[in-house]
Amino acid sequence: NSLMENYTMITQERLKELLHYCPDTGIFTCAKDWGRFRKGASAGSYDRGYVKIYLHYKNYSAHRLAFLYMTGSLPANQVDHINQVRHDNRWKNLRDVTSQANNKNASMSSRNKSGMTGVCWSKSHRKWRSSIRVNNKSKCLGVFLDLNDAIEARKEANIKYGFHENHGKPARLPKHPIHQKVYK
């Protein structure tokens, strides 16, 4: 069993033996021929918008491997893709953040009908309700006759509580295979 444990522990040194990471494009490529992979070939597969790389009998998220490659250790917390594009693993687009901070940069739910995260129609009030979740507690920001007033209340709360400027933007899940689009 200890032999198998050795295979699952990837180090920065071993990662750099197997893969090359380009911080400007966020793309991992094979550093040498190994197994069925050829030097220079793109590494990873596409899983729900994220890039996954199988190494040492374990699937790793490419965004976590980017931290190991660049810093020598895996991130202590979650990795936030600042622009919300899950496969955009450029170094400048990644940050090690707490779950709470990561949630402050979440994209809008595909079920949202108001066009603004935290704003929904209240059937009981027959008005627009604006709310925000801070420190795991939901805070009502008010109910409004006009949708724009409810949206403005939420925008002000986003600023007040330190939400990222990208928070609540529509999800930008890629439609093409991972290595066809490189972000600038």
Side-chain angles (χ1 to χ4, degrees):
N1 197 18
S2 63
L3 177 64
M4 190 62 126
E5 287 173 11
N6 289 338
Y7 279 110
T8 61
M9 295 170 53
I10 188 77
T11 63
Q12 182 188 44
E13 179 183 14
R14 181 66 176 144
L15 178 61
K16 287 184 174 186
E17 285 176 21
L18 297 173
L19 299 174
H20 172 72
Y21 169 70
C22 177
D24 295 330
T25 64
I27 295 174
F28 280 91
T29 55
C30 296
K32 63 181 184 177
D33 291 349
W34 50 284
R36 62 184 173 94
F37 302 102
R38 297 291 160 246
K39 182 178 181 176
S42 296
S45 60
Y46 203 53
D47 182 22
R48 294 177 294 130
Y50 294 101
V51 179
K52 300 287 185 170
I53 299 175
Y54 191 74
L55 295 171
H56 289 231
Y57 302 98
K58 185 172 179 185
N59 240 341
Y60 290 93
S61 296
H63 52 269
R64 295 186 68 78
L65 288 178
F67 270 86
L68 178 60
Y69 195 96
M70 297 295 288
T71 69
S73 61
L74 290 168
N77 300 292
Q78 294 182 357
V79 176
D80 178 32
H81 290 81
I82 296 167
N83 69 3
Q84 299 176 339
V85 178
R86 293 175 174 180
H87 70 265
D88 183 0
N89 293 315
R90 291 173 299 147
W91 184 241
K92 70 179 185 179
N93 188 49
L94 305 177
R95 60 187 186 142
D96 183 357
V97 297
T98 63
S99 174
Q100 187 176 21
N102 200 14
N103 289 338
K104 288 184 175 184
N105 189 22
S107 58
M108 184 184 328
S109 167
S110 60
R111 296 175 297 175
N112 184 292
K113 294 194 178 17
S114 70
M116 181 67 168
T117 296
V119 175
C120 63
W121 180 253
S122 170
K123 289 181 184 177
S124 61
H125 291 101
R126 301 185 81 171
K127 294 179 183 176
W128 292 100
R129 182 178 189 274
S130 187
S131 63
I132 194 165
R133 191 161 189 83
V134 179
N135 298 326
N136 285 330
K137 293 183 181 175
S138 184
K139 294 179 178 250
C140 180
L141 303 172
V143 288
F144 304 87
L145 287 172
D146 185 63
L147 172 61
N148 291 325
D149 293 337
I151 289 173
E152 191 57 36
R154 177 55 197 248
K155 285 180 179 178
E156 290 172 8
N158 282 352
I159 293 167
K160 178 180 178 181
Y161 294 108
F163 280 66
H164 194 278
E165 64 186 37
N166 289 338
H167 180 79
K169 289 186 177 178
R172 294 171 51 194
L173 292 179
K175 295 179 181 169
H176 303 289
I178 170 160
H179 299 301
Q180 286 187 357
K181 184 160 186 176
V182 175
Y183 292 85
K184 298 195 181 206

